[in-house]
Amino acid sequence: MAEKDTSVLTAQETFGEDPVVGVGLMADDARQAARGLARAPRAWKDRALLLMAQRIEERSDVILEANGKDLERGRQNDISPALLDRLKLDPARIKGLAEALRELAALPDPVGTIVRGQTLANGLRMRQMRVPMGVVGVIYEARPNVTVDIAGIAVKSGNAAMLRGGSAALESNRALVGILRDALADAKLPVDSVQTVDDYGRDGANALMGARGKVDVLVPRGGRGLIQAVVKNATVPVIETGEGNVHVFIDESADPQMAEKIAVNSKTHRTSACNSAETLLLHSKSEAGKQVLAALDKAGVKLHVDERAAELLPPGSDHLQATEEDWETEYLGMEMAVKVVDSLDEALDHIVKYSTGHTESIVTNNLANAERFTAENDSAAVMVNASTRFTDGGEFGLGAEVGISTQKMHARGPMGLEELTTTKWVVQGDGHVRS
Amino acid sequence: MAEKDTSVLTAQETFGEDPVVGVGLMADDARQAARGLARAPRAWKDRALLLMAQRIEERSDVILEANGKDLERGRQNDISPALLDRLKLDPARIKGLAEALRELAALPDPVGTIVRGQTLANGLRMRQMRVPMGVVGVIYEARPNVTVDIAGIAVKSGNAAMLRGGSAALESNRALVGILRDALADAKLPVDSVQTVDDYGRDGANALMGARGKVDVLVPRGGRGLIQAVVKNATVPVIETGEGNVHVFIDESADPQMAEKIAVNSKTHRTSACNSAETLLLHSKSEAGKQVLAALDKAGVKLHVDERAAELLPPGSDHLQATEEDWETEYLGMEMAVKVVDSLDEALDHIVKYSTGHTESIVTNNLANAERFTAENDSAAVMVNASTRFTDGGEFGLGAEVGISTQKMHARGPMGLEELTTTKWVVQGDGHVRS
């Protein structure tokens, strides 16, 4: 084995045919790497990120060649133009990958931050300190940019990453992971800080979900089907991300111009994003209703309306009658459900019933209603007079994000570097014992 | 139903025979209660806690009568004297329950704390605010004091609690929960903030574990068997607590007096506690070895020693030869495994291999070794020159605790009020949209 370059061996050649055994061995290597990475000061990690960026740019031909094979196979398999576009890399996008790593290098390092600390009455000195989680697994769809983003975020926060990208991006991800590992070696950091289990295919994903005790946390990043499958099957602790049945409520006192602007932006700015609005709730006494629906219609949004909302539609609009299913649907496209409500309470009850806990926004000029809306909605982010599209790590000023957590444990909302850390209590005494 | 006092109905009479349906309905009630509790200011919650304390003292005869029935049934079922003692209440212990609630009332309320906040370049004002988790499930063993502790911690942190105590404490828990609910009603807080699923027995526990989406977090509190069963079977997110294979390492430079004091205190101060030491690692060049082992032997600890440690034992000591199993064993009694190591690295490797990630302590006068020991141990708490028994919410100055988390997600180490909260982003704009 010694004379072979392991970066060109498949996982099966290195770790054996059995995916559970193989992924287990990879996780052991990841644990060793994580022990080294946890002690690496920020400067070393940043140097590795900058080297990763440089190597990606230098070897863009290798990446494009691999990506070309994926695209060719994708076309043969008739995957949709939208998926092909997400899979596709070009020189500009490769530059974007490198830039994202350089931006990560510029962000502060959460590791070593003292969260709380004090000297107790008995003289014990205590510090609660941020430390890396250890080994982080991420399961995502065929987007090569996620491979680089996640690897960068993991290394910066001191974690070893075990990646499972969609099989449609197999060649692209293999090329990228190889380059990232070479950069880690050049930076004298453990190469097993970044590994992919893609060679094991679906079995590799399943093995990753079952590696309890070996993998500290698993983040599924993708559509609803992927996330629910991981939540259901994983024994490793999971952080749910990204399901967004997002609501905008136009209150009685809403300024019609502002209501129009926020509703249209929340819905149409990027319909495939999880923070895009899916249901519009209109106060029956609001003067904004007709104007907002006309603007949405003009923007090309197909509206699914209840009976009272239908009366507010512009003549000739492209609409459907809303059914129970519409209140639950995350369209992720140019469609929106619309319901007229008679009070803030009715709006809140609707949201509590149908929300996935991602983001909700109220447009209002009533202070008491703004307070109640933010207090009584049980979602990761609640907005007053702002587009739901702002729920985003970059927009929140947190830097890069692993995903947007819609669960309450550990992380809620955009997950950045800090959310990939845990804490440790360090206690210093002088022979202290309990009496 | 209207004329009946529901506090004397069984869960089956109120919610039906099917435990999954019944626990689901109880969880819906808990969710409603949690919505009310989340908006209750600190003063209301503290008043409820003080009323709970008062009612428990006033109705101690009811509690003692119920507890007497549990004790009688326990004796008939031949449960061990240790378990009977944990089950038993007396006037002094009831006073202790009330006092614990009064201490909780005096602690600060984490709800509403702003964790981070800023005004972004575009003028958006953002606050990350602590909010209650919502509905918290706790599964524990037959200890009536846990019923009161957990209910108090849940109410103070704005959460509704769904409790499942051991069946041996059925009557005691029913009496206590009835009194706590009466106090909530007196304090004008939702009575369903505290409920027990005990009437459904084991099926109730299983239903609680499966109530994903209805229960926000589940905390198992008890022995290894209970915790592992919950981790394995629950679909609700779980926080693991309390497994402690705790190590004390006596380094080469350790002061022998201090080493003796810390080893004996860590092992013998309260052997049934999860923060008690189970394995002693002795540096082969330490002068403290003989003195420490003699002190442990004199204190009545049965030592499980490796070959080199055997040579340091006092003549006539009660000992056994250590096997691989001893390094993994949480004795929770007057027994301890002892191994001689030749270096800090060997000690760290042993701990990384066998630790459950609870607490480890080093006794040393070497600064570099102290730093490495605290940095390279991946445990919730790492001590320098202090007894492992200090890993405790009360000792850490955090107040009451739900348990000691040994996992990395969400909470690590003693879990107090703050650990039963999550955060929410509140974003305030003036018509902000993304461009």
Side-chain angles (χ1 to χ4, degrees):
Chain A
M1 296 282 288
E3 64 272 27
K4 284 196 189 177
D5 176 359
T6 53
S7 68
V8 298
L9 292 178
T10 65
Q12 283 86 345
E13 286 173 310
T14 313
F15 301 104
E17 292 294 330
D18 184 322
V20 173
V21 173
V23 169
L25 290 170
M26 292 172 87
D28 292 342
D29 289 349
R31 177 70 55 197
Q32 275 302 113
R35 282 180 75 183
L37 210 51
R39 300 198 295 277
R42 172 177 174 176
W44 299 13
K45 296 186 286 189
D46 287 350
R47 192 181 52 194
L49 294 172
L50 296 176
L51 276 169
M52 286 176 176
Q54 187 184 329
R55 296 278 178 278
I56 283 176
E57 289 185 332
E58 286 169 359
R59 289 162 69 177
S60 60
D61 53 337
V62 176
I63 300 168
L64 288 173
E65 190 189 331
N67 188 243
K69 291 183 197 166
D70 285 333
L71 289 170
E72 179 55 32
R73 202 177 58 248
R75 280 186 213 101
Q76 285 168 6
N77 293 341
D78 273 335
I79 71 173
S80 74
L83 287 181
L84 275 179
D85 183 60
R86 284 163 65 172
L87 178 57
K88 185 184 163 70
L89 292 174
D90 57 28
R93 286 184 177 182
I94 286 177
K95 197 172 160 53
L97 297 180
E99 279 313 308
L101 290 168
R102 293 190 179 108
E103 281 168 24
L104 263 175
L107 286 175
D109 181 356
V111 174
T113 305
I114 306 297
V115 180
R116 287 187 276 187
Q118 62 175 322
T119 301
L120 298 176
N122 60 13
L124 272 182
R125 282 86 71 197
M126 328 215 349
R127 289 169 289 162
Q128 188 181 24
M129 185 185 284
R130 284 210 179 280
V131 295
M133 289 283 242
V135 178
V136 175
V138 184
I139 299 182
Y140 52 101
E141 288 162 350
R143 301 177 68 169
N145 64 315
V146 175
T147 304
V148 177
D149 275 359
I150 300 282
I153 294 172
V155 167
K156 177 83 187 202
S157 56
N159 292 290
M162 296 186 72
L163 306 171
R164 157 65 181 163
S167 54
L170 186 68
E171 299 285 346
S172 312
N173 286 339
R174 181 179 290 153
L176 286 167
V177 168
I179 291 167
L180 296 173
R181 288 166 60 93
D182 287 350
L184 283 163
D186 292 349
K188 307 270 190 295
L189 285 181
V191 290
D192 291 328
S193 302
V194 178
Q195 296 179 87
T196 166
V197 304
D198 282 347
D199 285 343
Y200 289 113
R202 252 170 213 278
D203 292 341
N206 288 329
L208 202 54
M209 291 186 225
R212 190 175 179 94
K214 288 177 178 274
V215 175
D216 293 299
V217 62
L218 193 60
V219 183
R221 182 167 161 171
R224 180 177 182 141
L226 170 72
I227 293 164
Q228 290 306 319
V230 171
V231 165
K232 204 169 156 186
N233 297 317
T235 57
V236 169
V238 171
I239 299 184
E240 281 185 70
T241 66
E243 255 194 89
N245 190 17
V246 169
H247 299 77
V248 173
F249 171 51
I250 311 297
D251 195 14
E252 181 179 356
S253 63
D255 173 74
Q257 298 295 345
M258 194 191 283
E260 174 189 333
K261 204 167 66 155
I262 289 174
V264 171
N265 189 262
S266 297
K267 177 68 255 180
T268 68
H269 183 257
R270 189 167 153 223
T271 54
S272 63
C274 59
N275 55 17
S276 291
E278 306 294 1
T279 293
L280 180 73
L281 299 171
L282 280 174
H283 195 292
S284 56
K285 291 190 185 151
S286 163
E287 290 170 17
K290 283 191 177 181
Q291 178 173 342
V292 171
L293 295 189
L296 287 165
D297 180 64
K298 196 178 160 199
V301 178
K302 176 176 281 191
L303 299 170
H304 300 247
V305 294
D306 73 353
E307 273 183 33
R308 292 161 79 190
E311 294 171 14
L312 304 170
L313 286 172
S317 69
D318 180 20
H319 70 275
L320 291 165
Q321 199 176 318
T323 63
E324 176 70 17
E325 207 188 327
D326 285 303
W327 313 132
E328 296 168 353
T329 301
E330 201 181 340
Y331 301 108
L332 296 171
M334 290 292 271
E335 297 182 68
M336 192 174 211
V338 187
K339 183 186 172 75
V340 172
V341 296
D342 288 318
S343 64
L344 172 64
D345 282 289
E346 198 184 337
L348 283 168
D349 286 344
H350 181 95
I351 294 171
V352 166
K353 186 166 176 192
Y354 295 106
S355 169
T356 53
H358 190 298
T359 300
E360 330 296 342
S361 180
I362 184 174
V363 185
T364 191
N365 194 34
N366 181 310
L367 180 58
N369 287 2
E371 289 294 311
R372 278 198 60 204
F373 188 86
T374 53
E376 297 183 32
N377 260 316
D378 196 21
S379 293
V382 279
M383 311 270 174
V384 177
N385 296 338
S387 168
T388 59
R389 285 277 296 133
F390 283 108
T391 305
D392 173 277
E395 293 296 323
F396 274 19
L398 306 177
E401 72 180 30
V402 182
I404 295 177
S405 165
T406 53
Q407 68 173 43
K408 294 183 186 173
M409 264 180 67
H410 187 73
R412 203 170 187 210
M415 289 182 63
L417 295 169
E418 192 171 299
E419 284 70 25
L420 281 190
T421 65
T422 180
T423 58
K424 170 197 266 188
W425 287 97
V426 179
V427 181
Q428 171 92 42
D430 314 289
H432 284 69
V433 293
R434 274 183 76 174
S435 52
Chain B
M1 294 284 288
E3 64 273 28
K4 282 198 191 175
D5 175 359
T6 54
S7 69
V8 298
L9 291 177
T10 65
Q12 283 87 344
E13 285 171 311
T14 312
F15 301 103
E17 292 294 329
D18 185 322
V20 173
V21 173
V23 169
L25 291 170
M26 292 172 87
D28 292 341
D29 289 348
R31 176 71 56 199
Q32 275 303 113
R35 281 180 76 183
L37 211 51
R39 300 200 296 276
R42 172 176 174 178
W44 299 12
K45 296 186 286 188
D46 287 350
R47 193 182 50 193
L49 294 172
L50 296 177
L51 276 169
M52 286 176 176
Q54 187 185 329
R55 296 279 179 277
I56 283 176
E57 289 185 332
E58 286 169 359
R59 289 161 71 177
S60 60
D61 54 336
V62 176
I63 300 168
L64 288 173
E65 191 189 330
N67 188 241
K69 290 182 196 165
D70 284 335
L71 289 170
E72 179 56 32
R73 202 177 60 249
R75 281 186 211 102
Q76 284 167 7
N77 293 341
D78 273 336
I79 69 172
S80 74
L83 288 182
L84 274 179
D85 182 59
R86 285 162 64 173
L87 178 58
K88 185 184 163 66
L89 292 174
D90 58 27
R93 286 184 178 182
I94 286 178
K95 198 173 160 52
L97 297 181
E99 279 311 311
L101 289 168
R102 293 190 179 108
E103 283 168 23
L104 263 174
L107 286 176
D109 181 356
V111 173
T113 305
I114 306 297
V115 180
R116 287 186 276 188
Q118 62 175 324
T119 301
L120 299 176
N122 60 12
L124 272 182
R125 283 87 71 197
M126 327 212 351
R127 289 169 288 162
Q128 188 180 25
M129 185 185 284
R130 283 210 179 282
V131 294
M133 289 283 242
V135 179
V136 175
V138 184
I139 299 183
Y140 53 101
E141 288 162 350
R143 300 177 69 170
N145 63 312
V146 174
T147 303
V148 177
D149 275 359
I150 301 282
I153 294 172
V155 167
K156 176 84 187 202
S157 56
N159 292 290
M162 297 186 70
L163 306 172
R164 158 62 181 163
S167 52
L170 186 66
E171 299 285 347
S172 312
N173 287 339
R174 182 179 291 154
L176 286 167
V177 167
I179 291 168
L180 296 173
R181 288 167 59 93
D182 287 349
L184 284 163
D186 292 349
K188 306 271 190 294
L189 285 180
V191 290
D192 291 328
S193 303
V194 178
Q195 295 179 90
T196 166
V197 304
D198 281 347
D199 285 342
Y200 288 113
R202 252 169 212 279
D203 292 341
N206 288 330
L208 202 54
M209 291 186 225
R212 189 175 180 95
K214 288 178 178 275
V215 174
D216 293 300
V217 63
L218 193 60
V219 183
R221 180 166 162 173
R224 181 179 182 139
L226 170 72
I227 293 165
Q228 290 306 318
V230 172
V231 166
K232 204 168 158 187
N233 297 316
T235 56
V236 170
V238 171
I239 299 185
E240 282 185 68
T241 65
E243 256 195 89
N245 189 16
V246 168
H247 298 77
V248 173
F249 171 51
I250 310 296
D251 194 17
E252 181 179 355
S253 64
D255 173 74
Q257 297 296 344
M258 192 189 286
E260 174 188 332
K261 205 167 64 155
I262 289 174
V264 171
N265 189 263
S266 298
K267 177 67 252 182
T268 68
H269 182 257
R270 189 166 153 224
T271 55
S272 64
C274 58
N275 55 16
S276 291
E278 305 295 1
T279 294
L280 181 73
L281 299 170
L282 279 173
H283 195 293
S284 57
K285 289 189 185 151
S286 162
E287 290 171 16
K290 282 192 178 180
Q291 178 173 341
V292 170
L293 296 190
L296 288 165
D297 179 64
K298 196 177 159 204
V301 179
K302 176 176 280 192
L303 300 169
H304 300 247
V305 294
D306 73 352
E307 272 183 33
R308 291 162 78 191
E311 294 169 15
L312 301 170
L313 287 171
S317 69
D318 180 20
H319 71 276
L320 291 165
Q321 199 176 318
T323 63
E324 176 70 17
E325 208 190 326
D326 285 302
W327 312 132
E328 296 169 353
T329 300
E330 200 181 340
Y331 300 108
L332 296 172
M334 290 292 270
E335 297 183 67
M336 192 175 210
V338 186
K339 183 187 171 75
V340 173
V341 295
D342 288 319
S343 64
L344 172 64
D345 282 290
E346 197 183 337
L348 283 168
D349 286 343
H350 180 95
I351 294 171
V352 166
K353 187 166 176 192
Y354 295 105
S355 170
T356 53
H358 190 298
T359 300
E360 330 295 342
S361 180
I362 184 174
V363 186
T364 191
N365 193 34
N366 181 311
L367 180 58
N369 287 3
E371 289 294 311
R372 278 198 60 204
F373 188 86
T374 54
E376 297 183 32
N377 259 315
D378 196 19
S379 293
V382 280
M383 311 269 174
V384 177
N385 296 338
S387 167
T388 60
R389 285 278 295 135
F390 282 107
T391 305
D392 173 276
E395 294 295 325
F396 274 19
L398 308 177
E401 72 179 30
V402 183
I404 295 176
S405 164
T406 53
Q407 69 174 42
K408 294 182 186 174
M409 263 179 68
H410 188 72
R412 202 169 188 213
M415 289 182 64
L417 295 168
E418 191 171 300
E419 284 71 25
L420 281 191
T421 65
T422 180
T423 58
K424 169 197 266 187
W425 288 97
V426 179
V427 182
Q428 171 92 42
D430 313 292
H432 284 70
V433 294
R434 274 183 75 174
S435 54

